[in-house]
């Protein structure tokens, strides 16, 4: 993958934000400092980063892809009231892959788990 100023900006943005932004959110923020960047360029670069393992694409059921610059294995929580997506600070459950493969003839090389509930902000209100 060759160097691109726009791709570096997208990657840096993802790595410096824990909000799991959509492509539109990344675009709106980046165009403040890069007025010539297009939404198409942001989409292409996000997908390229995902393809190369430099970002994660998350589908949380709201019809829009969200992106995460943290590629180390971790879990997510989705608030069913405000629809925000949070990183959960918990140990990765490696044994889930082993349990799942007991009754499965294929090869399991990882898992994605989303926890659902109500976040602390919504719980207080």
């Amino acid at each position: 993958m060759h160097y691109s100023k726009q791709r570096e900006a997208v990657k840096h943005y993802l790595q410096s934000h824990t909000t799991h932004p959509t492509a539109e959110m990344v675009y709106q923020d980046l165009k403040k400092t890069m007025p010539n960047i297009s939404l198409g360029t942001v989409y292409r670069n996000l997908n390229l980063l995902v393809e190369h393992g430099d970002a994660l694409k998350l589908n949380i059921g709201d019809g829009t892809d969200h992106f995460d610059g943290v590629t180390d294995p971790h879990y997510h929580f989705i608030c069913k009231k405000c629809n925000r997506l949070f990183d959960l600070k918990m140990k990765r459950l490696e044994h889930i892959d082993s349990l799942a493969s007991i009754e499965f003839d294929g090869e399991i090389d990882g898992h994605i788990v989303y926890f659902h509930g109500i976040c602390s902000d919504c719980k207080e209100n």
Side-chain angles (χ1 to χ4, degrees):
M1 183 166 61
H2 69 280
Y3 174 81
S4 158
K5 181 177 160 183
Q6 291 90 351
R7 188 173 313 108
E8 278 303 309
V10 171
K11 184 177 179 180
H12 181 265
Y13 182 89
L14 286 181
Q15 290 174 339
S16 61
H17 288 78
T18 59
T19 57
H20 305 88
T22 63
E24 180 69 32
M25 293 165 72
V26 174
Y27 167 68
Q28 290 298 329
D29 279 351
L30 286 183
K31 78 176 192 173
K32 294 172 187 171
T33 56
M34 302 178 85
N36 293 329
I37 197 165
S38 71
L39 181 57
T41 297
V42 171
Y43 268 108
R44 277 190 302 280
N45 282 297
L46 283 168
N47 287 316
L48 197 57
L49 290 170
V50 169
E51 225 175 86
H52 287 296
D54 293 323
L56 301 174
K57 185 186 289 190
L58 306 170
N59 179 342
I60 65 168
D62 65 356
T64 306
D65 290 326
H66 293 256
F67 296 88
D68 192 346
V70 177
T71 58
D72 294 334
H74 64 286
Y75 295 106
H76 294 97
F77 175 87
I78 303 166
C79 179
K80 62 185 179 182
K81 284 198 172 187
C82 66
N83 288 327
R84 285 188 300 166
L85 179 63
F86 300 89
D87 287 334
L88 284 180
K89 304 218 184 306
M90 63 179 278
K91 185 177 176 183
R92 185 158 167 91
L93 306 172
E94 298 296 339
H95 66 281
I96 289 177
D97 295 344
S98 299
L99 289 173
S101 60
I102 291 171
E103 297 292 327
F104 180 67
D105 290 335
E107 184 177 315
I108 295 175
D109 60 8
H111 61 273
I112 297 174
V113 176
Y114 295 108
F115 292 89
H116 299 265
I118 299 173
C119 71
S120 59
D121 289 344
C122 290
K123 188 176 173 183
E124 288 178 13
N125 295 329

